[in-house]
Amino acid sequence: MKKWFKRAAFAAVCALHLGSAAAADVVIDAGHGGKDHGALGTLGKHQYMEKDFALDMSLQLRKHLRQQGFSVAMTRTDDTFRPLGQRLAYGRKHCRKLFASVHVNAAKNNPRANGVHTYVLQGNDATAVGKKSLQIARNVQKAFNPKRPEVRRARFVTLQNTTCPSVQLEMYFMSNKADLKKLADKRQRRAIAGKLAKVIGTSLKQRDAKAKAKPAPSAVKPQTSKPAAKPSRPRVPAKAAAKDKPAPLKKAAPKTAAKPKAKR
Ligand SMILES: [Zn+2]
């Protein structure tokens, strides 16, 4: 099959599966779903699945971002399985400002591993899209984990969007009891999503204000009634990414429950 035909067929399938929504400021990608439950965690007799937390936090994130005036689309809004390639294709087609994958981390062999970790595409720091991705990830990382502000690099399938800034947000650990307690508590979980929405919304608005303050050389501005953009917070110089451990990811195949890290 010719490449272009394959691509067209794939896009058609994606449109069918995910709906042909218009472009959105933010595309939220709730990790896992359906037969792919992601990482598991246990508290007493209760077993929890990553896919449920990811969806609930994503729906909350959508609600809050909409309240802030952003248009939001999602790769899934219920307990449905979506292959990674479809998610990526959807993001490439519909994302305007940010593609955010929401997951919960797991480290089977290290129950002490905890907290929030953010990821951007490995080897993409120098591009405009890469810089924007990094800025958002850094803001989230700093807000949730000021003592460990480094953003990690990886080649997850859903990060491989060269047109729209993309981040993967690993919101705490299924494998850490204290983290899991936090996630299992609806109020705390929703507070996490609210905080996340605040950081993302503020970051996007700062970025927009910055872009407005710096008109493109060819742009003819008829009249601007808006005041000049407020200076954004001073940028922290990017730390060398050397520390960041890339996690290999080859195929879009859903991970099985047996894997220690149910990430993509
Ligand atoms: Zn995951």
Side-chain angles (χ1 to χ4, degrees), residues 27 155 209 255 263:
V27 173
R155 299 203 57 81
K255 303 228 163 168
K263 270 192 218 132

Side-chain angles (χ1 to χ4, degrees), residues 31-32 36-39 50-51 54 102-106 168 170 261-264:
H32 310 276
D36 173 18
H37 51 64
E50 179 189 353
K51 67 172 184 178
V102 177
H103 286 252
V104 182
N105 221 333
Q168 179 150 330
E170 296 281 348
K261 280 212 164 195
K263 270 192 218 132
R264 339 167 116 156

